[in-house]
Amino acid sequence: TLRAPRPSTVRASEMAEALAEVSTDALMREIQRRLDCQSKPDKRLILVGPPGCGKGTQSPKIKAEHCLCHLATGDMLRAAVKAGTPNGVRAKTAMESGALVSDDIVVGIIEEAIKDVSCRNGFILDGFPRTVPQAKMLDEMLGKKGVAVDNVLDFQIPDEVLVERIEGRWIHAASGRSYHTKFSPPKVAGVDDITGEPLMKRKDDNAATLKSRLDAFHAQTQPVIDYYKSRGKVNVIHANKPSKNVEEQIASALK
């Protein structure tokens, strides 16, 4: 009788086939990237800013430059529920009952996420914390691991500028890459520069929705900024500047 191949043998075979499809140049670039990442200092960052402030444009650049993982709470929540992690199960139960997902569950999901190898050099937190109690809970969780938030980048921009930015924004859903019809257009209209896949527009990217979101953002988030400012963690990023200038401000803040 024939024996079924061992799972480890199957995995090794699948990996070999996958690698065979990757060019030597691409493999060498990835090896060099990983070597470069080993010499990068750890960084744990929080990005704060209203919708349309440019976080979506800058996050992938910060992630690549500093070899960090990008943690968006909505994405993490959905992934944890899908994977059936302990906190994902708790979150699913809460959502199915119509309750809000509690802060301790969200912090638990963040704690699970930062164990991933992609977060070895640190992380970028986007969309959390939104309140001072959440910030304190996050700090407590990190403190138990002997680390702390290193830097909070506060993206500041006038509300009226955001309306123009939001209404012209297009997103590549899979990667999170962000484009703008006026300020940062794709090379081909409606198409992602890297993959050639179609771009999408978020249904809430309109002036009326933005106004209510901005009011809520300012009321809720300012105390969080003040909390971290009192700890000397905040760097203001003047986001109403050309993208290159914003990149320079971020590079200076993260030296």
Side-chain angles (χ1 to χ4, degrees):
T1 59
L2 292 174
R3 292 183 179 179
R6 293 180 180 178
S8 59
T9 305
V10 173
R11 284 195 296 271
S13 174
E14 290 174 347
M15 188 177 296
E17 288 178 10
L19 285 173
E21 296 175 1
V22 180
S23 70
T24 302
D25 284 348
L27 278 174
M28 293 306 294
R29 283 197 301 271
E30 177 60 17
I31 291 169
Q32 186 59 53
R33 186 191 70 81
R34 295 192 180 197
L35 288 172
D36 291 343
C37 285
Q38 289 180 2
S39 64
K40 301 274 187 179
D42 292 357
K43 291 185 187 298
R44 283 157 288 273
L45 312 178
I46 295 174
L47 304 191
V48 180
C53 70
K55 290 192 283 97
T57 299
Q58 298 299 332
S59 289
K61 298 174 184 178
I62 299 170
K63 173 184 174 180
E65 173 65 24
H66 298 280
C67 303
L68 308 175
C69 63
H70 179 256
L71 305 177
T73 47
D75 294 341
M76 281 190 295
L77 191 57
R78 286 186 288 273
V81 169
K82 185 177 180 180
T85 68
N87 283 297
V89 171
R90 293 175 66 202
K92 184 179 181 182
T93 301
M95 290 187 290
E96 288 178 345
S97 69
L100 292 173
V101 178
S102 63
D103 292 347
D104 68 303
I105 293 177
V106 178
V107 171
I109 288 172
I110 292 170
E111 186 173 14
E112 290 171 351
I114 63 177
K115 293 176 183 175
D116 191 86
V117 66
S118 65
C119 299
R120 181 173 50 223
N121 280 43
F123 57 78
I124 302 167
L125 254 180
D126 189 355
F128 190 92
R130 295 180 183 270
T131 67
V132 172
Q134 289 175 351
K136 290 180 177 178
M137 197 174 291
L138 174 67
D139 285 353
E140 182 180 355
M141 181 271 286
L142 293 174
K144 289 178 180 176
K145 300 178 181 299
V147 296
V149 170
D150 298 302
N151 211 313
V152 177
L153 300 182
D154 177 16
F155 286 71
Q156 294 188 0
I157 186 168
D159 287 358
E160 59 270 20
V161 175
L162 291 173
V163 173
E164 184 179 18
R165 281 195 174 186
I166 284 288
E167 291 188 320
R169 184 166 67 178
W170 290 83
I171 305 293
H172 178 242
S175 68
R177 279 186 290 275
S178 180
Y179 299 88
H180 193 279
T181 50
K182 178 180 177 181
F183 304 115
S184 181
K187 294 173 183 175
V188 178
V191 174
D192 178 52
D193 288 351
I194 308 299
T195 65
E197 295 171 348
L199 301 176
M200 60 163 283
K201 202 163 181 57
R202 292 175 180 156
K203 63 181 180 180
D204 57 354
D205 278 358
N206 60 76
T209 303
L210 177 60
K211 177 67 169 63
S212 63
R213 289 175 70 191
L214 286 174
D215 290 345
F217 169 80
H218 293 308
Q220 190 179 54
T221 311
Q222 190 58 48
V224 177
I225 294 171
D226 292 341
Y227 169 81
Y228 282 113
K229 193 175 289 183
S230 70
R231 286 155 177 74
K233 306 278 189 179
V234 176
N235 277 279
V236 172
I237 304 299
H238 300 286
N240 188 22
K241 300 281 186 183
S243 182
K244 185 67 177 175
N245 181 276
V246 173
E247 289 176 30
E248 290 169 356
Q249 292 179 62
I250 292 170
S252 178
L254 299 183
K255 279 182 180 177

